[in-house]
RNA sequence: UGUCCUAUAGCGUAAUGGUAGCGCAGCAGAUUCUGGAUCUGUUAGUCUAGGUUCGAGCCCUGGUAGGACAACCA
């Protein structure tokens, strides 16, 4: 069945059908370069670029760089990298700063037309005069200066003769408007003390968002300006500005969708910056972060992000997505694509007492049972093995289908073995587990088809590589940190990172490179961290496998 | 003198005036050399009161609830 259109696609198709803009479709992705892109931005990237792709239009990348105080090239670079990683190509890269001259000219035009004035009150006074949502504002005493005086003052502002914060250019609209954004919004402010990342100290005045965004859309020929719901109240002003100077029937149309929220995380650049600056995470690319670079380092593939975005949809309803859905999206994709390997995270020795000492057999391991073209690789089997400590219980409940005295289990890709006992130290800790193998049950042999309840993964002690494994979990311990009255930093999950240093992986992973993704059989999906070296392999857990045994135990 | 947006199972999302579906989560079972994957079954929903209509989740009105807007941020 054809997937139904979301409301944005519906609007675009309606416009196409009506012949709006002669069938031309143009969108833009307009990030402010003041932070790293996160999964919420990915949702926006996918609709902006996706609409252009689907309807044979163009999508440009435009940096909304109108506030030099917060912006930096570091962010420009990372944003471009992340968009490319998601698999999109922009038509052009633009910057709002490309339009500073045009916008300034427009501001002068507004002054000449009596639609803008220079206010020299403090920001506090201006805020007071703005009124409140239920109380009308009052007019500035500077509101009715002459055009010439306004022009002179704006020239002084622009020449750097006015200190920061002393004067602003405001639109003259309606201080009593029920829409707060019409109460003489600020158009330009003076910033002389911060260099702009592209224009340096050339400009002394910078346009505000409302005077830059819609105008930039117009200058570029954007037809559908897609953004998030918090800009709904800006739309009348967006339209009003364009009405003041548009020269033809063309106009960009702003459409707003619900921003992405996910349980157990935060989706605010401000909070992410705080986490980074206060060292609560290791950086913007900490694998616990919802940033795209964080998810990438965690092991998420671009396909898994797309898979997730496809599932959540675009509407105008504000909600919160279950983190489980994101995890499902990545599992679904990695299940189809990742090579299965063996790794033991919490090792204990397993001795096959009737297996000859010194003997080594190379067993054939299927790379991916979900992909018949994925082939096989070999894994060494010997008398002394590593197994997971959790896979042995001296006294086990009935439903424990693993290693326990007297019970048979299958060693994946090798033999069926029967547990015979274990050895403990004086504190009662299990130091070795013993089992006997059945030589006729090697994988592929007829007897290997015997029904055995459990299958365990294992590693030859003499043939395994030491590794560090970082087990990541949700960053916050409450579902919705943003809705909690406590400071979000107090809500960080203390178990969000568990480092396991005493792990082993099979030799097949000897040459694994950073970002390579694998399934550690029976455990989860893991990828190689950027900290990994040939001497010391480091893996990150992307997500665990679904674990119905754990669920059973929690009952 | 407030304006605007929104309301469909626990969560997300369809149904474009004509049988309320789907995904995730949950539950039960089958199957499996990963307690994975896969397959089957299953629990559970139109905020409320009116109106229009042969017929309303959808259109209209009033409630109710949630949210956005009062940065020299975007």
């Amino acid at each position: 069945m054809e997937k139904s259109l979301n409301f944005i696609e519906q609007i675009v198709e309606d416009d196409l059908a009506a012949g709006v803009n002669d069938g031309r479709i143009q969108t833009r992705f307009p990030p402010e370069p003041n932070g790293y892109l996160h999964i919420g931005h990915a949702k926006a990237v996918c609709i902006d670029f996706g609409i252009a792709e689907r309807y044979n239009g163009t999508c440009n990348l435009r940096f909304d760089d109108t506030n030099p105080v917060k912006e930096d090239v570091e962010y420009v670079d990372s944003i471009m990298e992340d968009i490319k990683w998601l698999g999109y190509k922009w038509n052009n890269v633009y910057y709002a700063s490309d339009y500073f001259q045009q916008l300034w000219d427009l501001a002068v035009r507004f002054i000449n037309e009596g639609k803008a004035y220079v206010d020299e009150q403090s920001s506090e006074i201006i805020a007071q005069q703005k009124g409140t949502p239920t109380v009308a504002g009052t007019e500035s005493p500077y509101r009715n200066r002459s055009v010439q005086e306004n022009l002179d003052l704006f020239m002084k502002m622009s020449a750097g003769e006015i200190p920061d914060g002393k004067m602003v250019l405001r639109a003259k609209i309606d201080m009593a408007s029920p829409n707060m954004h019409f109460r003489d919004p600020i158009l330009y402010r003076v910033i002389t003390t911060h260099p702009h990342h592209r224009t340096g100290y050339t400009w002394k005045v910078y346009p505000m968002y409302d005077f830059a965004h819609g105008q930039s859309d117009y200058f570029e020929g954007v037809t559908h300006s897609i953004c998030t719901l918090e800009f709904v109240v800006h739309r009348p002003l967006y339209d009003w500005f364009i009405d003041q100077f548009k020269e033809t029937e063309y106009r960009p149309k702003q459409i707003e969708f619900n921003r992405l929220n996910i349980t157990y995380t935060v989706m605010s650049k401000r909070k992410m910056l705080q986490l980074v600056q206060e060292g609560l995470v290791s950086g913007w690319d900490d694998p616990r972060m919802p940033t795209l670079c964080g998810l990438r380092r965690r092991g998420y593939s671009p396909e898994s992000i797309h898979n997730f975005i496809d599932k959540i949809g675009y509407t105008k309803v504000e909600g919160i997505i279950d983190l489980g859905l994101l995890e499902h999206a990545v599992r679904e994709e990695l299940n189809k694509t990742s090579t299965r390997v063996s790794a033991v995270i919490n090792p204990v020795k397993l001795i096959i007492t009737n297996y000859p000492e010194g003997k080594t057999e190379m067993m054939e391991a299927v790379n991916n049972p979900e992909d018949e073209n994925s082939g096989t690789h070999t894994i060494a089997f010997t008398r002394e093995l590593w197994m997971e400590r959790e896979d042995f219980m001296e006294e086990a409940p009935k439903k424990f289908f693993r290693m326990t005295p007297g019970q048979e289990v299958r060693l994946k890709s090798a033999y069926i073995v029967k547990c015979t006992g274990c050895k403990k130290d004086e504190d009662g800790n299990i130091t070795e587990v013993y089992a006997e193998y059945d030589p006729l049950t090697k994988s592929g042999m007829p007897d290997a088809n015997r029904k055995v309840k459990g299958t365990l993964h294992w590693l030859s002690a003499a043939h395994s590589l030491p590794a560090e494994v970082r087990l990541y979990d949700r960053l916050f311990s409450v579902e919705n940190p943003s809705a909690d009255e406590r400071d979000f930093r107090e809500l960080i999950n203390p178990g969000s990172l568990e480092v396991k240093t005493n792990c082993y992986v099979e030799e097949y992973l000897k040459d694994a490179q950073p970002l390579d993704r694998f399934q550690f059989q029976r455990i989860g999906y893991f990828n190689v961290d950027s900290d990994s070296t040939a001497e010391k392999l480091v893996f990150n857990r992307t997500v665990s496998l679904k674990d119905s045994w754990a669920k059973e135990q929690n009952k």
Side-chain angles (χ1 to χ4, degrees):
Chain A
M1 201 184 93
E2 184 93 352
K3 202 182 171 194
S4 53
L5 301 177
N6 65 47
F7 81 101
I8 301 170
E9 293 161 340
Q10 189 64 60
I11 290 170
V12 170
E13 291 203 1
D14 289 348
D15 285 347
L16 246 19
V20 177
N21 297 317
D22 303 320
R24 194 174 58 82
I25 299 296
Q26 184 171 326
T27 59
R28 95 276 91 110
F29 176 63
E32 185 189 12
N34 68 342
Y36 282 67
L37 256 33
H38 54 66
I39 181 110
H41 293 112
K43 178 174 177 180
V45 167
C46 288
I47 192 73
D48 288 331
F49 284 89
I51 287 281
E53 249 168 35
R54 176 166 184 159
Y55 296 104
N56 216 359
T58 57
C59 180
N60 298 307
L61 170 59
R62 183 181 71 231
F63 289 99
D64 246 339
D65 57 349
T66 56
N67 184 6
V69 177
K70 292 185 175 173
E71 295 152 8
D72 197 277
V73 281
E74 173 195 357
Y75 302 123
V76 170
D77 295 342
S78 75
I79 287 168
M80 294 200 276
E81 183 187 352
D82 288 344
I83 295 171
K84 283 190 255 179
W85 180 67
L86 284 175
Y88 291 112
K89 289 193 180 72
W90 47 84
N91 218 68
N92 288 297
V93 182
Y94 294 132
Y95 294 82
S97 51
D98 292 338
Y99 312 127
F100 279 172
Q101 186 62 52
Q102 276 181 90
L103 291 166
W104 189 87
D105 291 345
L106 193 57
V108 170
R109 175 173 158 185
F110 269 55
I111 295 171
N112 277 317
E113 293 175 353
K115 293 171 183 166
Y117 63 96
V118 171
D119 198 337
E120 44 194 288
Q121 301 181 102
S122 70
S123 59
E124 291 77 18
I125 299 294
I126 291 176
Q128 273 173 28
Q129 289 173 350
K130 211 143 216 183
T132 71
T134 51
V135 177
T138 52
E139 297 185 352
S140 163
Y142 298 99
R143 196 173 197 258
N144 295 308
R145 296 196 211 258
S146 70
V147 165
Q148 194 52 54
E149 196 179 355
N150 280 320
L151 232 31
D152 290 346
L153 288 170
F154 190 53
M155 294 305 157
K156 283 188 171 177
M157 287 166 63
S158 305
E161 293 169 29
I162 306 295
D164 294 20
K166 291 296 177 198
M167 288 185 192
V168 289
L169 183 71
R170 300 177 71 180
K172 191 193 282 190
I173 310 180
D174 177 8
M175 288 306 291
S177 171
N179 183 328
M180 297 291 293
H181 297 281
F182 277 81
R183 320 243 268 223
D184 289 8
I186 292 172
L187 267 28
Y188 267 87
R189 74 289 216 186
V190 177
I191 300 175
T192 58
T193 51
H194 279 81
H196 185 277
H197 68 103
R198 295 185 75 234
T199 61
Y201 288 102
T202 304
W203 291 90
K204 315 297 180 191
V205 290
Y206 290 89
M208 298 289 288
Y209 168 84
D210 282 311
F211 197 69
H213 194 93
Q215 284 81 334
S216 301
D217 284 344
Y218 182 89
F219 297 154
E220 290 171 7
V222 167
T223 58
H224 299 269
S225 183
I226 305 165
C227 60
T228 46
L229 246 24
E230 64 266 32
F231 294 101
V232 168
V233 282
H234 292 252
R235 183 171 5 108
L237 184 59
Y238 177 105
D239 288 334
W240 187 87
F241 277 130
I242 287 169
D243 284 337
Q244 305 311 305
F245 64 85
K246 84 181 174 84
E247 290 166 349
T248 64
E249 280 312 294
Y250 156 72
R251 70 178 315 136
K253 176 185 285 184
Q254 178 176 302
I255 305 165
E256 312 87 8
F257 67 87
N258 58 342
R259 63 184 298 158
L260 173 61
N261 296 299
I262 300 179
T263 54
Y264 300 104
T265 191
V266 293
M267 210 66 81
S268 131
K269 275 198 270 189
R270 199 197 94 244
K271 286 178 182 163
M272 290 183 205
L273 181 63
Q274 222 172 334
L275 291 171
V276 172
Q277 287 181 338
E278 295 175 15
L280 298 167
V281 296
S282 66
W284 285 99
D285 70 343
D286 186 298
R288 291 167 295 182
M289 291 280 273
T291 50
L292 292 176
C293 53
L295 289 164
R296 176 164 61 233
R297 188 169 175 188
R298 176 80 171 255
Y300 278 73
S301 61
E303 293 76 13
S304 60
I305 305 283
H306 285 289
N307 190 22
F308 173 67
I309 300 292
D310 282 346
K311 288 178 196 293
I312 61 176
Y314 295 82
T315 67
K316 300 179 82 145
V317 188
E318 294 168 290
I320 185 162
I321 306 274
D322 191 338
L323 175 63
L325 189 60
L326 177 63
E327 295 184 335
H328 171 261
V330 70
R331 282 194 193 102
E332 187 173 62
E333 209 267 319
L334 295 181
N335 176 48
K336 287 186 281 195
T337 56
S338 51
T339 295
R340 272 61 171 173
V341 297
S342 292
V344 177
I345 289 180
N346 188 13
V348 67
K349 268 288 171 61
L350 167 63
I351 310 219
I352 310 299
T353 50
N354 61 339
Y355 194 85
E357 283 191 51
K359 180 173 175 181
T360 301
E361 280 184 276
M362 296 311 290
M363 303 299 188
E364 188 174 48
V366 174
N367 286 335
N368 184 351
E370 305 294 320
D371 175 7
E372 53 188 29
N373 299 317
S374 64
T376 61
H377 68 274
T378 56
I379 178 168
F381 184 86
T382 56
R383 186 173 186 273
E384 278 196 30
L385 307 173
W386 292 116
M387 67 173 283
E388 296 289 351
R389 205 164 270 280
E390 293 80 13
D391 283 342
F392 176 79
M393 275 182 98
E394 197 173 11
E395 285 174 46
K398 222 189 186 109
K399 284 186 171 174
F400 186 79
F401 306 137
R402 305 184 186 184
M403 197 75 78
T404 189
Q407 185 159 293
E408 278 197 328
V409 294
R410 185 188 303 279
L411 295 182
K412 177 84 184 168
S413 314
Y415 295 98
I416 294 172
V417 301
K418 183 186 238 176
C419 183
T420 53
C422 65
K423 180 169 136 190
K424 288 185 268 193
D425 64 17
E426 52 275 15
D427 300 324
N429 301 311
I430 288 148
T431 54
E432 288 180 347
V433 176
Y434 302 114
E436 290 176 351
Y437 85 117
D438 179 345
L440 299 179
T441 60
K442 182 171 168 177
S443 289
M445 288 178 167
D447 279 15
N449 294 328
R450 202 157 78 212
K451 289 275 177 271
V452 181
K453 272 287 191 184
T455 301
L456 305 187
H457 62 280
W458 50 272
L459 242 28
S460 165
H463 297 83
S464 54
L465 274 25
E468 174 177 315
V469 175
R470 298 173 183 172
L471 302 176
Y472 293 102
D473 199 354
R474 49 185 66 156
L475 221 203
F476 292 92
S477 47
V478 300
E479 259 199 6
N480 191 350
S482 307
D484 203 288
E485 62 274 359
R486 290 167 287 182
D487 188 295
F488 77 105
R489 290 165 296 184
E490 296 171 26
L491 306 173
I492 291 179
N493 173 12
S496 61
L497 168 60
E498 191 183 346
V499 179
K500 298 284 195 179
T501 51
N502 183 31
C503 313
Y504 296 98
V505 299
E506 60 176 284
E507 286 183 311
Y508 180 69
L509 294 178
K510 182 161 54 71
D511 300 318
Q513 296 301 308
L515 296 181
D516 284 353
R517 289 181 277 264
F518 301 95
Q519 186 198 89
F520 286 1
Q521 216 140 201
R522 297 213 304 135
I523 304 175
Y525 296 98
F526 291 77
N527 80 335
V528 182
D529 189 76
S530 46
D531 289 344
S532 194
T533 62
E535 291 72 41
K536 187 189 169 198
L537 290 166
V538 179
F539 294 89
N540 297 319
R541 179 171 69 195
T542 309
V543 65
S544 64
L545 248 33
K546 286 205 333 199
D547 188 348
S548 55
W549 168 241
K551 198 183 279 178
E552 180 74 27
Q553 284 176 302
N554 286 331
K555 278 182 185 173

